Short mmCIF file of all heavy atoms in Angstrom, two decimals:
data_model
loop_
_atom_site.label_atom_id
_atom_site.label_comp_id
_atom_site.label_asym_id
_atom_site.label_seq_id
_atom_site.Cartn_x
_atom_site.Cartn_y
_atom_site.Cartn_z
N TYR U 20 2.52 68.32 -40.84
CA TYR U 20 3.59 68.91 -41.64
C TYR U 20 4.92 68.33 -41.18
O TYR U 20 5.57 68.84 -40.26
CB TYR U 20 3.55 70.43 -41.50
CG TYR U 20 4.55 71.11 -42.39
CD1 TYR U 20 4.33 71.18 -43.77
CD2 TYR U 20 5.73 71.64 -41.89
CE1 TYR U 20 5.25 71.77 -44.61
CE2 TYR U 20 6.66 72.24 -42.72
CZ TYR U 20 6.41 72.30 -44.07
OH TYR U 20 7.33 72.88 -44.90
N ALA U 21 5.31 67.23 -41.84
CA ALA U 21 6.44 66.43 -41.33
C ALA U 21 7.80 67.10 -41.48
O ALA U 21 8.75 66.72 -40.79
CB ALA U 21 6.47 65.09 -42.06
N VAL U 22 7.90 68.10 -42.37
CA VAL U 22 9.20 68.73 -42.58
C VAL U 22 9.69 69.36 -41.26
O VAL U 22 10.87 69.48 -41.00
CB VAL U 22 9.12 69.76 -43.74
CG1 VAL U 22 10.40 70.56 -43.88
CG2 VAL U 22 8.82 69.04 -45.06
N ARG U 23 8.74 69.76 -40.43
CA ARG U 23 9.10 70.23 -39.09
C ARG U 23 8.44 69.36 -38.04
O ARG U 23 7.89 69.85 -37.05
CB ARG U 23 8.69 71.70 -38.92
CG ARG U 23 9.50 72.64 -39.83
CD ARG U 23 10.21 73.70 -39.01
NE ARG U 23 11.35 74.26 -39.71
CZ ARG U 23 11.51 75.54 -40.02
NH1 ARG U 23 10.58 76.40 -39.73
NH2 ARG U 23 12.60 75.96 -40.60
N GLY U 24 8.44 68.05 -38.25
CA GLY U 24 7.73 67.12 -37.38
C GLY U 24 8.62 66.51 -36.31
O GLY U 24 9.58 67.13 -35.83
N GLU U 25 8.32 65.24 -35.95
CA GLU U 25 8.98 64.56 -34.83
C GLU U 25 10.50 64.55 -34.97
O GLU U 25 11.23 64.79 -34.00
CB GLU U 25 8.45 63.12 -34.75
CG GLU U 25 9.06 62.33 -33.61
CD GLU U 25 8.52 60.90 -33.49
OE1 GLU U 25 7.59 60.54 -34.23
OE2 GLU U 25 9.05 60.16 -32.65
N LEU U 26 10.97 64.27 -36.19
CA LEU U 26 12.42 64.19 -36.39
C LEU U 26 13.10 65.54 -36.13
O LEU U 26 14.14 65.62 -35.49
CB LEU U 26 12.70 63.75 -37.84
CG LEU U 26 13.08 62.29 -38.05
CD1 LEU U 26 14.47 62.00 -37.51
CD2 LEU U 26 12.07 61.33 -37.45
N TYR U 27 12.46 66.58 -36.63
CA TYR U 27 13.01 67.93 -36.47
C TYR U 27 13.04 68.32 -34.99
O TYR U 27 14.03 68.88 -34.49
CB TYR U 27 12.17 68.92 -37.27
CG TYR U 27 12.57 70.36 -37.09
CD1 TYR U 27 13.72 70.86 -37.70
CD2 TYR U 27 11.82 71.22 -36.31
CE1 TYR U 27 14.12 72.18 -37.53
CE2 TYR U 27 12.20 72.55 -36.12
CZ TYR U 27 13.35 73.01 -36.74
OH TYR U 27 13.73 74.31 -36.56
N LEU U 28 11.96 67.97 -34.28
CA LEU U 28 11.90 68.32 -32.85
C LEU U 28 12.99 67.59 -32.07
O LEU U 28 13.67 68.18 -31.22
CB LEU U 28 10.50 67.99 -32.29
CG LEU U 28 9.36 68.78 -32.93
CD1 LEU U 28 8.00 68.33 -32.39
CD2 LEU U 28 9.54 70.30 -32.72
N ARG U 29 13.18 66.31 -32.38
CA ARG U 29 14.21 65.53 -31.70
C ARG U 29 15.60 66.11 -32.03
O ARG U 29 16.47 66.22 -31.15
CB ARG U 29 14.11 64.06 -32.13
CG ARG U 29 15.12 63.15 -31.49
CD ARG U 29 14.85 62.94 -29.99
NE ARG U 29 15.94 62.23 -29.34
CZ ARG U 29 16.56 62.62 -28.24
NH1 ARG U 29 16.18 63.72 -27.62
NH2 ARG U 29 17.54 61.92 -27.74
N ALA U 30 15.79 66.49 -33.29
CA ALA U 30 17.08 67.05 -33.71
C ALA U 30 17.35 68.35 -32.93
O ALA U 30 18.48 68.59 -32.47
CB ALA U 30 17.09 67.32 -35.21
N SER U 31 16.30 69.16 -32.76
CA SER U 31 16.48 70.43 -32.03
C SER U 31 16.86 70.15 -30.58
O SER U 31 17.71 70.85 -30.01
CB SER U 31 15.21 71.27 -32.08
OG SER U 31 14.81 71.45 -33.41
N GLU U 32 16.21 69.12 -30.00
CA GLU U 32 16.54 68.75 -28.62
C GLU U 32 18.01 68.34 -28.51
O GLU U 32 18.74 68.79 -27.63
CB GLU U 32 15.72 67.52 -28.21
CG GLU U 32 14.50 67.81 -27.36
CD GLU U 32 13.68 66.53 -27.19
OE1 GLU U 32 14.26 65.42 -27.09
OE2 GLU U 32 12.46 66.66 -27.19
N LEU U 33 18.43 67.45 -29.41
CA LEU U 33 19.81 66.96 -29.39
C LEU U 33 20.79 68.11 -29.55
O LEU U 33 21.85 68.15 -28.93
CB LEU U 33 20.03 65.92 -30.50
CG LEU U 33 19.37 64.56 -30.28
CD1 LEU U 33 19.50 63.69 -31.53
CD2 LEU U 33 20.01 63.83 -29.09
N GLN U 34 20.42 69.07 -30.39
CA GLN U 34 21.29 70.22 -30.62
C GLN U 34 21.46 71.01 -29.32
O GLN U 34 22.57 71.41 -28.97
CB GLN U 34 20.72 71.11 -31.72
CG GLN U 34 21.70 72.18 -32.18
CD GLN U 34 21.08 73.12 -33.20
OE1 GLN U 34 19.90 73.47 -33.12
NE2 GLN U 34 21.87 73.53 -34.17
N LYS U 35 20.34 71.16 -28.60
CA LYS U 35 20.40 71.87 -27.32
C LYS U 35 21.31 71.16 -26.33
O LYS U 35 21.97 71.77 -25.51
CB LYS U 35 18.98 71.99 -26.73
CG LYS U 35 18.39 73.37 -26.96
CD LYS U 35 17.08 73.55 -26.20
CE LYS U 35 16.04 74.12 -27.14
NZ LYS U 35 14.69 73.61 -26.92
N GLU U 36 21.32 69.82 -26.44
CA GLU U 36 22.19 69.03 -25.55
C GLU U 36 23.65 69.07 -26.00
O GLU U 36 24.51 68.41 -25.41
CB GLU U 36 21.72 67.57 -25.51
CG GLU U 36 20.39 67.38 -24.80
CD GLU U 36 19.76 66.01 -25.08
OE1 GLU U 36 20.47 65.11 -25.57
OE2 GLU U 36 18.55 65.88 -24.83
N GLY U 37 23.91 69.75 -27.10
CA GLY U 37 25.29 69.93 -27.54
C GLY U 37 25.74 69.02 -28.68
O GLY U 37 26.89 69.06 -29.09
N LYS U 38 24.83 68.20 -29.22
CA LYS U 38 25.22 67.33 -30.33
C LYS U 38 25.25 68.13 -31.63
O LYS U 38 24.41 69.01 -31.86
CB LYS U 38 24.22 66.17 -30.45
CG LYS U 38 24.65 65.10 -31.44
CD LYS U 38 23.74 63.88 -31.34
CE LYS U 38 24.01 62.87 -32.44
NZ LYS U 38 25.27 62.15 -32.28
N LYS U 39 26.20 67.82 -32.50
CA LYS U 39 26.28 68.53 -33.79
C LYS U 39 25.24 67.92 -34.74
O LYS U 39 25.26 66.71 -35.01
CB LYS U 39 27.69 68.36 -34.38
CG LYS U 39 27.87 69.14 -35.67
CD LYS U 39 29.31 69.10 -36.15
CE LYS U 39 29.49 69.87 -37.44
NZ LYS U 39 28.93 69.22 -38.61
N ILE U 40 24.34 68.75 -35.20
CA ILE U 40 23.26 68.27 -36.07
C ILE U 40 23.44 68.83 -37.48
O ILE U 40 23.74 70.02 -37.64
CB ILE U 40 21.87 68.71 -35.52
CG1 ILE U 40 21.65 68.21 -34.09
CG2 ILE U 40 20.74 68.22 -36.43
CD1 ILE U 40 21.57 66.71 -33.93
N ILE U 41 23.26 67.97 -38.46
CA ILE U 41 23.28 68.43 -39.85
C ILE U 41 21.83 68.49 -40.30
O ILE U 41 21.19 67.46 -40.50
CB ILE U 41 24.10 67.47 -40.73
CG1 ILE U 41 25.51 67.31 -40.13
CG2 ILE U 41 24.19 67.95 -42.17
CD1 ILE U 41 26.17 66.01 -40.48
N PHE U 42 21.31 69.71 -40.40
CA PHE U 42 19.88 69.88 -40.69
C PHE U 42 19.61 69.73 -42.19
O PHE U 42 19.59 70.71 -42.92
CB PHE U 42 19.37 71.24 -40.18
CG PHE U 42 19.13 71.24 -38.70
CD1 PHE U 42 20.07 71.78 -37.83
CD2 PHE U 42 17.98 70.69 -38.16
CE1 PHE U 42 19.86 71.77 -36.46
CE2 PHE U 42 17.76 70.68 -36.79
CZ PHE U 42 18.69 71.22 -35.93
N THR U 43 19.42 68.49 -42.61
CA THR U 43 19.10 68.29 -44.03
C THR U 43 17.60 68.03 -44.20
O THR U 43 17.19 67.45 -45.18
CB THR U 43 19.89 67.11 -44.63
OG1 THR U 43 19.45 65.92 -43.99
CG2 THR U 43 21.37 67.27 -44.45
N ASN U 44 16.83 68.45 -43.20
CA ASN U 44 15.38 68.20 -43.30
C ASN U 44 14.65 69.29 -44.07
O ASN U 44 13.57 69.05 -44.58
CB ASN U 44 14.77 68.05 -41.90
CG ASN U 44 15.05 69.26 -41.04
OD1 ASN U 44 16.20 69.66 -40.89
ND2 ASN U 44 14.01 69.86 -40.50
N VAL U 45 15.21 70.48 -44.17
CA VAL U 45 14.51 71.58 -44.84
C VAL U 45 15.37 72.12 -45.97
O VAL U 45 16.58 72.24 -45.83
CB VAL U 45 14.20 72.73 -43.86
CG1 VAL U 45 13.31 73.78 -44.52
CG2 VAL U 45 13.53 72.23 -42.61
N GLY U 46 14.71 72.45 -47.08
CA GLY U 46 15.41 73.05 -48.22
C GLY U 46 15.66 74.53 -47.94
O GLY U 46 14.99 75.39 -48.50
N ASN U 47 16.64 74.78 -47.08
CA ASN U 47 16.87 76.13 -46.53
C ASN U 47 18.36 76.46 -46.76
O ASN U 47 19.15 76.39 -45.81
CB ASN U 47 16.52 76.07 -45.04
CG ASN U 47 16.39 77.43 -44.39
OD1 ASN U 47 16.41 78.46 -45.05
ND2 ASN U 47 16.28 77.42 -43.07
#
Side-chain angles (χ1 to χ4, degrees):
Y20 185 73
V22 173
R23 293 237 158 121
E25 180 178 355
L26 258 290
Y27 175 75
L28 297 176
R29 180 70 188 129
S31 306
E32 259 173 36
L33 288 172
Q34 190 184 37
K35 259 188 228 144
E36 290 165 16
K38 189 171 172 72
K39 184 173 179 288
I40 302 295
I41 305 154
F42 282 99
T43 66
N44 56 307
V45 188
N47 193 9

